[in-house]
Amino acid sequence: MTYVYSGIIATVFGTTGFLGRYVVQQLAKMGSQVLVPFRGCEDDPRHLKLMGDLGQIVPMKFNPRDDNTIKATMAKANVVINLIGREYETRNYSFEDVNHFMAERIAGIAKEHGGIMRFIQISCLGASSSSPSRVFSTKAAAEEAVLRELPWATIMRPAAMIGTEDRLLNKWAQFVKKFNFFPLFGDGSTRIQPVYVVDVAAAVTAALKDDGTSMGKIYELGGPDIFTVHELAELMYDTIREYPHYVKVPFPVAKAVAMPREILLKKVPFPLPRPGLFNLDEINAYTSDTIVSDNALTFQDLGIVPHKLKGYPTEYLIWYRKGGPKF
């Protein structure tokens, strides 16, 4: 078999996250060399090396607070994709550190590099400086910082992503299996537009393949259907074949339950566990709808038809059935 080389050498930050593995897979499939910066142990990016030929996927150790290591990861690159983001804070990294300042630093170094032809920043649907969610407000600040450094950068705002390793329906199903009920914040009427993760990765590679028409533009990537939180929970219950039990939790009560972690985060001398369903920032995000704007650029402008969620994209939930996937 003849190996096809696309000419792209892409440094992809944030590849050890959920979206990262799908972006690396798509880049490798189109014949790109992918440089994979990672900050943890060497096992973290190990699964990515299987997605390409020998030497095609290159893990590179880096420190997100050390400019020299960031420069080293993109020294030979001509494309930079930033997927770094987090939906909860830790003792060492705040939302501002992860979602805003890292993006600003990477864009600044890409500008100094001089040889970066394309820069893609992954933001999130709902990003706004006035949002009560700090994830959304810091992602909006990152967009401004990136476009200030690189006005030709492409910004993509995916909605909540669904897929085998997701942090949405997996988290919901785990909570339901453990506590036998699902908490509806408010009354579960908040509208969201979840998207299949493979479609988001396809949008990234579609932007790289175009003739530059996506440069300097912002795309809002939502699925074909709008759900209320209650309707999406019904889909989850239907797939795992459990009888639905709901408890309506008013927003003030949900915030009160989530608040202790936020208070203790910087005060205790040890790391706290990840927040589960009661994540204060996610609760704040649910106070308003997160759907694609009427006049936004979408999947259609990139030539992609997004998958409907019912069926194959949510099939991984069958592992939560009482008798196993064949039940």
Side-chain angles (χ1 to χ4, degrees), residues 136-212:
F136 289 175
S137 61
T138 52
K139 281 289 190 181
E143 289 180 14
E144 289 176 22
V146 168
L147 291 173
R148 191 167 55 244
E149 296 285 352
L150 306 168
W152 44 266
T154 304
I155 308 288
M156 295 196 172
R157 295 175 175 170
M161 290 180 285
I162 301 294
T164 307
E165 307 86 5
D166 74 33
R167 299 178 195 129
L168 184 67
L169 293 185
N170 274 309
K171 194 159 64 175
W172 290 9
Q174 286 161 12
F175 188 94
V176 164
K177 296 297 284 186
K178 191 172 183 181
F179 298 106
N180 202 32
F181 76 92
F182 183 77
L184 290 174
F185 301 135
D187 57 359
S189 63
T190 305
R191 294 186 303 157
I192 55 177
Q193 199 167 343
V195 61
Y196 187 33
V197 66
V198 172
D199 295 331
V200 178
V204 172
T205 51
L208 292 178
K209 288 175 183 174
D210 69 19
D211 56 2

Side-chain angles (χ1 to χ4, degrees), residues 66-99:
D66 181 351
D67 287 0
N68 289 327
T69 63
I70 297 173
K71 287 175 183 174
T73 60
M74 62 172 86
K76 292 182 167 30
N78 53 25
V79 166
V80 173
I81 302 169
N82 180 32
L83 311 175
I84 293 175
R86 184 169 275 175
E87 69 279 6
Y88 62 92
E89 290 185 295
T90 63
R91 291 169 69 230
N92 296 326
Y93 289 95
S94 67
F95 287 130
E96 287 75 16
D97 291 334
V98 177
N99 296 336

